[in-house]
Amino acid sequence: MVKIKICGLRRAEDIAAVNRFRPDAAGFICAPGFRRSVRVEQLWQLRRLLDYDIPAAGVFVDQSQDQILALAGAGLIDLVQLHGSEDEDFIRSLKTRLASEEITRARTARGRPQRVPVIKTFKLSGPKDREKVRVSPADYVLLDSGAGSGRTFNWTWTTDLRREFILAGGLNADNIEKAVRLCHPFMVDVSSGAETDGVKDPDKIRLCIEAARRAEK
């Protein structure tokens, strides 16, 4: 069954809704300068409120590996989502460092899963972009129309990727089922589609999760 991540959480009320309706992952924008960004102090507070068994994804944009490792080692994030211009060498190096004894020991001490997968975001502008998606060393790839654009792209471009992927971009309760049945993603990633007037809406969070759960029944 397809998984679903609700991204862009930034308030205690958002976490309460996520804890209630149980998506497969919760996302936090750890890069500064975006409307949904959270500071490290906020992330500590929100992570304490988030149910232990809901993995937290941290979204980063061209930030240093040391910044990412600090949050992973502290147990604040369980998945790293890269949305910038990070190249294959950066991803390989980051994966090696995330799997290091130091990070593993720190996460174990905090009772968090040892493995921290890396997700790399790709903007699909046509079928020609699929080869770079196929060869990425990231654990997972996320396909979007742009950085938080809130718009869909041509979902037929996801065919013949020959690897699992996460689908994002303009997804909401009205189109998730169609997207899943056409694209068969590993996971769908929803942010603006679970909001009303720029704020996470508990009813929309619920409806998006219900749509994902229905999609492949």
Side-chain angles (χ1 to χ4, degrees):
M1 182 177 293
V2 67
K3 298 180 183 296
I4 180 168
K5 176 164 77 70
I6 304 296
C7 199
L9 306 173
R10 54 194 174 95
R11 306 177 305 149
E13 296 91 334
D14 302 342
I15 303 301
V18 164
N19 287 342
R20 180 179 179 187
F21 299 119
R22 315 296 301 172
D24 299 287
F28 300 93
I29 310 302
C30 299
F34 297 91
R35 180 172 61 82
R36 302 182 185 93
S37 298
V38 295
R39 300 183 307 277
V40 174
E41 315 87 77
Q42 290 176 281
L43 183 58
W44 273 106
Q45 295 168 357
L46 297 172
R47 192 66 183 88
R48 289 188 186 104
L49 296 174
L50 183 66
D51 280 359
Y52 179 84
D53 57 348
I54 299 178
V59 177
F60 302 90
V61 181
D62 294 321
Q63 289 160 267
S64 73
Q65 293 190 12
D66 287 344
Q67 289 177 291
I68 297 169
L69 291 163
L71 298 185
L76 292 177
I77 57 170
D78 307 303
L79 301 127
V80 172
Q81 189 168 320
L82 303 175
H83 269 255
S85 58
E86 303 89 359
D87 61 17
E88 293 184 5
D89 288 340
F90 182 97
I91 294 170
R92 291 190 186 96
S93 172
L94 178 62
K95 287 176 63 176
T96 298
R97 296 183 71 188
L98 285 167
S100 69
E101 183 178 348
E102 178 184 2
I103 297 298
T104 298
R105 190 188 315 115
R107 291 183 60 80
T108 300
R110 292 169 172 80
R112 302 307 305 170
Q114 292 182 0
R115 184 170 180 266
V116 183
V118 174
I119 302 165
K120 175 60 182 152
T121 299
F122 290 90
K123 177 182 177 181
L124 283 194
S125 56
K128 59 180 173 49
D129 295 325
R130 291 184 294 195
E131 184 57 30
K132 62 184 179 183
V133 173
R134 292 189 189 107
V135 301
S136 172
D139 297 292
Y140 302 106
V141 292
L142 184 148
L143 310 182
D144 201 347
S145 58
S149 68
R151 298 189 301 270
T152 61
F153 61 92
N154 187 334
W155 292 332
T156 63
W157 295 338
T158 67
T159 60
D160 195 33
L161 282 178
R162 298 193 294 274
R163 69 178 297 173
E164 290 185 327
F165 65 92
I166 302 167
L167 183 67
L171 296 175
N172 55 56
D174 295 326
N175 64 12
I176 284 175
E177 287 185 78
K178 179 181 178 181
V180 170
R181 288 170 179 158
L182 178 65
C183 304
H184 305 290
F186 161 75
M187 176 182 280
V188 292
D189 191 317
V190 180
S191 186
S192 60
E195 294 178 349
T196 297
D197 297 329
V199 176
K200 287 292 183 288
D201 183 321
D203 286 334
K204 289 186 177 180
I205 289 175
R206 173 181 59 82
L207 290 170
C208 286
I209 294 171
E210 289 176 352
R213 302 292 185 238
R214 286 194 306 267
E216 291 189 327
K217 287 186 177 179

